[in-house]
Amino acid sequence: MTTKALIWFKRDLRVSDHAPLAHAATCDEALGIFIIEPQWLASPECDPRHVAFTLACLDALRNDLASIGVPLLIAVGDAVEVLEGLRSGHGVTHLLSHEETGTGWSYARDRAVRRWAQQVHVAWQEWSQTGVVRRLQDRRGWAGRWQRFMDKAMVDKPNQLRAFAGWSVREQAQIPDLQMLGVQPNGIALPEAGEAAAREVLRGFLTGRALGYRKAMSSPLSAPEHCSRLSPYLAFGCISMRQVHQATEAAIRDTALRELAYDVRGFSSRLRWHCHFMQKLEDEPQIEFRNVARSHDGLRAGDGTHPDALDQERLAAWKEGRTGFPMVDACMRQLCATGWLNFRMRAMLVSFASYHLGLHWREPGLHLARQFLDFEPGIHWSQMQMQSGTTGINTLRIYSPSRQQKEHDPTGEYVRRWVPESGTAAYPQPIVDEAQVLGAIKAKLYGLRKQEPVRAEASAIQLKHGSRRSGLPPAKKRSSKTVVSSPQGELF
Ligand SMILES: Cc1cc2nc3c(=O)[nH]c(=O)nc-3n(C[C@H](O)[C@H](O)[C@H](O)COP(=O)(O)OP(=O)(O)OC[C@H]3O[C@@H](n4cnc5c(N)ncnc54)[C@H](O)[C@@H]3O)c2cc1C
């Protein structure tokens, strides 16, 4: 029997270090497929910027696949229907893909595809590409496993595969554009897409831009230049985490510059965080929707158990960058206009929404997910909860926007760039009285964390999700944050 492999591309838009593509070489014929799913386009995290970047990555991927004889079909529709159409029309025998740690809709989609594959006897094989472990029992030994996975030899790109009979790399249908998909472009300038661009960004970072990384990453003025800016490429899989890890270790070994090696080491440890946070969503898919610490339900309006609805006016002011807090508004405006913001300022935006405005994290999190070009569900929802204080185990951090401004934009250059009207009569008054609102929420949280059942729950959460190794997000006390309490350390 002729074996026919469909290589199902999802968040792995590259040809190097790609296990499903390499495995296709063991089958007689191969075809690449990317499915633009209506569930994705309709999902509350999806923004036109994500669709535009994906289409541009597909263009690059199609060329790379053509060079090894594999046509790429881009289909629009429900995954099971598309796959079944290909099976019944072309006799697909194998479905090869990477595992995905996604949001609710893609999790449901994967379960439906699994049922379909079993019913119609298509062999669906999946590989991990991130160091996230499926069906993990507990976190013991996780960091060591991650290290071994990342140090393993990369998967070779196959030389030439044979396309499905009747398919040619020379006659491929046009890649749809946003209009054809019914998506309204929002005109933000996107970074160059695709695998070659990802490699170039990595190279540029490791050979020069990384110098000063540790210090520069905190300020929104210096971070855009000195952070790696690899996050969209990792989120869409234009480069694998293993490629980044191995290039990073080589750069540390090979550089003659001690200062550069020091900065690149700081970057290197963050690569593990990427997978550490994704593992949390993999282990507990519900953290996308509800508090990790259920004892914190009802803490803020809008969480489904609090008697009050979310304050829509506050939410709108935050989303539109008109809270009357210049640093907050500048960050939000930069993010919406460019699709990227550095870690500290992301954390400040969430802290402000949660502690100053009293908003439950879900709605603000959806807004941020749409703005971040690098939206990665596992990191995103874990960080949303961590920065809102609903994990039950992390040090509670409340960022003061004025102190952040003093420390990271001392001349006011950044705020002037994004909020030119600040300091004039045209700029709104602060939306809340900072001292008053923070006093109330701190009292609530202090009270909560003292309760015995809350502490017991925290221990169970620590066991399930906590890291067993240092080197994960540091628990430094800094003057620009209010550290409320730290009963369990900061290893979430
Ligand atoms: C509320 C909130 C939401 C976030 N949502 C996302 C998201 O959806 N997608 C995303 O990639 N990152 C997210 N982050 C983490 C972090 O802000 C970004 O990874 C980083 O700013 C991306 O820029 P970079 O690639 O230049 O980072 P660099 O500093 O150059 O780091 C390199 C890579 O390390 C990983 N990394 C760095 N910091 C972290 C971190 N704190 N946690 C996990 N991984 C990290 C990322 O893969 C990043 O691309 C979020 C942070 C917060 C506070």
PDB file of all heavy atoms in Angstrom, residues 85-102:
ATOM      1  N   GLY A  85     -11.713  15.484   3.869  1.00  0.00           N
ATOM      2  CA  GLY A  85     -11.760  15.709   2.418  1.00  0.00           C
ATOM      3  C   GLY A  85     -10.486  15.191   1.760  1.00  0.00           C
ATOM      4  O   GLY A  85     -10.518  14.541   0.713  1.00  0.00           O
ATOM      5  N   LEU A  86      -9.365  15.438   2.392  1.00  0.00           N
ATOM      6  CA  LEU A  86      -8.087  14.990   1.817  1.00  0.00           C
ATOM      7  C   LEU A  86      -7.940  13.477   1.918  1.00  0.00           C
ATOM      8  O   LEU A  86      -7.418  12.821   1.018  1.00  0.00           O
ATOM      9  CB  LEU A  86      -6.925  15.681   2.539  1.00  0.00           C
ATOM     10  CG  LEU A  86      -6.738  17.137   2.121  1.00  0.00           C
ATOM     11  CD1 LEU A  86      -5.870  17.882   3.117  1.00  0.00           C
ATOM     12  CD2 LEU A  86      -6.118  17.209   0.720  1.00  0.00           C
ATOM     13  N   ARG A  87      -8.426  12.936   3.019  1.00  0.00           N
ATOM     14  CA  ARG A  87      -8.322  11.474   3.170  1.00  0.00           C
ATOM     15  C   ARG A  87      -9.181  10.776   2.116  1.00  0.00           C
ATOM     16  O   ARG A  87      -8.708   9.908   1.395  1.00  0.00           O
ATOM     17  CB  ARG A  87      -8.784  11.048   4.565  1.00  0.00           C
ATOM     18  CG  ARG A  87      -8.575   9.563   4.841  1.00  0.00           C
ATOM     19  CD  ARG A  87      -9.444   9.075   5.989  1.00  0.00           C
ATOM     20  NE  ARG A  87     -10.875   9.111   5.664  1.00  0.00           N
ATOM     21  CZ  ARG A  87     -11.528   8.149   5.030  1.00  0.00           C
ATOM     22  NH1 ARG A  87     -10.902   7.067   4.628  1.00  0.00           N
ATOM     23  NH2 ARG A  87     -12.823   8.287   4.781  1.00  0.00           N
ATOM     24  N   SER A  88     -10.458  11.215   2.013  1.00  0.00           N
ATOM     25  CA  SER A  88     -11.332  10.488   1.094  1.00  0.00           C
ATOM     26  C   SER A  88     -10.943  10.770  -0.365  1.00  0.00           C
ATOM     27  O   SER A  88     -11.049   9.899  -1.209  1.00  0.00           O
ATOM     28  CB  SER A  88     -12.799  10.822   1.360  1.00  0.00           C
ATOM     29  OG  SER A  88     -12.966  12.212   1.332  1.00  0.00           O
ATOM     30  N   GLY A  89     -10.441  11.980  -0.641  1.00  0.00           N
ATOM     31  CA  GLY A  89     -10.098  12.313  -2.018  1.00  0.00           C
ATOM     32  C   GLY A  89      -8.723  11.826  -2.446  1.00  0.00           C
ATOM     33  O   GLY A  89      -8.488  11.595  -3.627  1.00  0.00           O
ATOM     34  N   HIS A  90      -7.806  11.695  -1.499  1.00  0.00           N
ATOM     35  CA  HIS A  90      -6.422  11.408  -1.898  1.00  0.00           C
ATOM     36  C   HIS A  90      -5.793  10.231  -1.162  1.00  0.00           C
ATOM     37  O   HIS A  90      -4.604   9.970  -1.319  1.00  0.00           O
ATOM     38  CB  HIS A  90      -5.552  12.654  -1.693  1.00  0.00           C
ATOM     39  CG  HIS A  90      -6.015  13.814  -2.501  1.00  0.00           C
ATOM     40  ND1 HIS A  90      -5.657  13.998  -3.809  1.00  0.00           N
ATOM     41  CD2 HIS A  90      -6.866  14.828  -2.198  1.00  0.00           C
ATOM     42  CE1 HIS A  90      -6.242  15.092  -4.278  1.00  0.00           C
ATOM     43  NE2 HIS A  90      -6.987  15.611  -3.318  1.00  0.00           N
ATOM     44  N   GLY A  91      -6.542   9.578  -0.320  1.00  0.00           N
ATOM     45  CA  GLY A  91      -6.023   8.370   0.337  1.00  0.00           C
ATOM     46  C   GLY A  91      -4.924   8.624   1.360  1.00  0.00           C
ATOM     47  O   GLY A  91      -3.958   7.860   1.449  1.00  0.00           O
ATOM     48  N   VAL A  92      -5.079   9.708   2.156  1.00  0.00           N
ATOM     49  CA  VAL A  92      -4.082  10.001   3.206  1.00  0.00           C
ATOM     50  C   VAL A  92      -4.026   8.828   4.196  1.00  0.00           C
ATOM     51  O   VAL A  92      -5.063   8.339   4.646  1.00  0.00           O
ATOM     52  CB  VAL A  92      -4.481  11.287   3.962  1.00  0.00           C
ATOM     53  CG1 VAL A  92      -3.629  11.482   5.207  1.00  0.00           C
ATOM     54  CG2 VAL A  92      -4.385  12.500   3.041  1.00  0.00           C
ATOM     55  N   THR A  93      -2.813   8.397   4.528  1.00  0.00           N
ATOM     56  CA  THR A  93      -2.683   7.306   5.512  1.00  0.00           C
ATOM     57  C   THR A  93      -2.083   7.800   6.841  1.00  0.00           C
ATOM     58  O   THR A  93      -2.318   7.201   7.885  1.00  0.00           O
ATOM     59  CB  THR A  93      -1.769   6.183   4.980  1.00  0.00           C
ATOM     60  OG1 THR A  93      -0.485   6.758   4.644  1.00  0.00           O
ATOM     61  CG2 THR A  93      -2.367   5.497   3.768  1.00  0.00           C
ATOM     62  N   HIS A  94      -1.277   8.883   6.781  1.00  0.00           N
ATOM     63  CA  HIS A  94      -0.603   9.378   7.978  1.00  0.00           C
ATOM     64  C   HIS A  94      -0.829  10.871   8.151  1.00  0.00           C
ATOM     65  O   HIS A  94      -0.803  11.622   7.166  1.00  0.00           O
ATOM     66  CB  HIS A  94       0.907   9.121   7.892  1.00  0.00           C
ATOM     67  CG  HIS A  94       1.274   7.677   7.989  1.00  0.00           C
ATOM     68  ND1 HIS A  94       1.023   6.771   6.988  1.00  0.00           N
ATOM     69  CD2 HIS A  94       1.870   6.983   9.001  1.00  0.00           C
ATOM     70  CE1 HIS A  94       1.446   5.575   7.360  1.00  0.00           C
ATOM     71  NE2 HIS A  94       1.965   5.677   8.582  1.00  0.00           N
ATOM     72  N   LEU A  95      -0.990  11.266   9.399  1.00  0.00           N
ATOM     73  CA  LEU A  95      -1.075  12.692   9.729  1.00  0.00           C
ATOM     74  C   LEU A  95       0.060  12.975  10.705  1.00  0.00           C
ATOM     75  O   LEU A  95       0.149  12.340  11.766  1.00  0.00           O
ATOM     76  CB  LEU A  95      -2.437  12.995  10.378  1.00  0.00           C
ATOM     77  CG  LEU A  95      -2.672  14.444  10.799  1.00  0.00           C
ATOM     78  CD1 LEU A  95      -2.678  15.383   9.599  1.00  0.00           C
ATOM     79  CD2 LEU A  95      -4.020  14.573  11.546  1.00  0.00           C
ATOM     80  N   LEU A  96       0.939  13.901  10.343  1.00  0.00           N
ATOM     81  CA  LEU A  96       2.136  14.156  11.152  1.00  0.00           C
ATOM     82  C   LEU A  96       2.132  15.608  11.602  1.00  0.00           C
ATOM     83  O   LEU A  96       1.991  16.521  10.778  1.00  0.00           O
ATOM     84  CB  LEU A  96       3.394  13.885  10.316  1.00  0.00           C
ATOM     85  CG  LEU A  96       3.407  12.557   9.535  1.00  0.00           C
ATOM     86  CD1 LEU A  96       4.657  12.478   8.646  1.00  0.00           C
ATOM     87  CD2 LEU A  96       3.366  11.364  10.495  1.00  0.00           C
ATOM     88  N   SER A  97       2.284  15.841  12.905  1.00  0.00           N
ATOM     89  CA  SER A  97       2.254  17.238  13.368  1.00  0.00           C
ATOM     90  C   SER A  97       2.978  17.382  14.699  1.00  0.00           C
ATOM     91  O   SER A  97       3.314  16.389  15.355  1.00  0.00           O
ATOM     92  CB  SER A  97       0.808  17.706  13.547  1.00  0.00           C
ATOM     93  OG  SER A  97       0.193  17.010  14.608  1.00  0.00           O
ATOM     94  N   HIS A  98       3.202  18.649  15.076  1.00  0.00           N
ATOM     95  CA  HIS A  98       3.723  18.940  16.405  1.00  0.00           C
ATOM     96  C   HIS A  98       2.565  19.073  17.389  1.00  0.00           C
ATOM     97  O   HIS A  98       1.458  19.469  17.009  1.00  0.00           O
ATOM     98  CB  HIS A  98       4.516  20.253  16.390  1.00  0.00           C
ATOM     99  CG  HIS A  98       5.929  20.088  15.915  1.00  0.00           C
ATOM    100  ND1 HIS A  98       6.436  20.746  14.825  1.00  0.00           N
ATOM    101  CD2 HIS A  98       6.957  19.322  16.392  1.00  0.00           C
ATOM    102  CE1 HIS A  98       7.714  20.408  14.646  1.00  0.00           C
ATOM    103  NE2 HIS A  98       8.046  19.548  15.584  1.00  0.00           N
ATOM    104  N   GLU A  99       2.845  18.769  18.653  1.00  0.00           N
ATOM    105  CA  GLU A  99       1.840  18.989  19.699  1.00  0.00           C
ATOM    106  C   GLU A  99       1.634  20.487  19.868  1.00  0.00           C
ATOM    107  O   GLU A  99       2.558  21.269  19.668  1.00  0.00           O
ATOM    108  CB  GLU A  99       2.336  18.411  21.028  1.00  0.00           C
ATOM    109  CG  GLU A  99       2.374  16.897  21.039  1.00  0.00           C
ATOM    110  CD  GLU A  99       3.130  16.346  22.251  1.00  0.00           C
ATOM    111  OE1 GLU A  99       3.772  17.137  22.972  1.00  0.00           O
ATOM    112  OE2 GLU A  99       3.085  15.129  22.458  1.00  0.00           O
ATOM    113  N   GLU A 100       0.437  20.853  20.267  1.00  0.00           N
ATOM    114  CA  GLU A 100       0.132  22.275  20.468  1.00  0.00           C
ATOM    115  C   GLU A 100      -0.433  22.463  21.872  1.00  0.00           C
ATOM    116  O   GLU A 100      -1.326  21.721  22.279  1.00  0.00           O
ATOM    117  CB  GLU A 100      -0.897  22.707  19.418  1.00  0.00           C
ATOM    118  CG  GLU A 100      -1.221  24.179  19.469  1.00  0.00           C
ATOM    119  CD  GLU A 100      -2.152  24.615  18.328  1.00  0.00           C
ATOM    120  OE1 GLU A 100      -2.463  23.793  17.445  1.00  0.00           O
ATOM    121  OE2 GLU A 100      -2.577  25.779  18.370  1.00  0.00           O
ATOM    122  N   THR A 101       0.107  23.426  22.608  1.00  0.00           N
ATOM    123  CA  THR A 101      -0.493  23.771  23.895  1.00  0.00           C
ATOM    124  C   THR A 101      -1.250  25.065  23.666  1.00  0.00           C
ATOM    125  O   THR A 101      -0.696  26.154  23.768  1.00  0.00           O
ATOM    126  CB  THR A 101       0.595  23.958  24.973  1.00  0.00           C
ATOM    127  OG1 THR A 101       1.384  22.764  25.032  1.00  0.00           O
ATOM    128  CG2 THR A 101      -0.026  24.210  26.349  1.00  0.00           C
ATOM    129  N   GLY A 102      -2.508  24.922  23.282  1.00  0.00           N
ATOM    130  CA  GLY A 102      -3.249  26.096  22.831  1.00  0.00           C
ATOM    131  C   GLY A 102      -4.355  26.496  23.773  1.00  0.00           C
ATOM    132  O   GLY A 102      -4.393  26.094  24.940  1.00  0.00           O
TER     133      GLY A 102
END
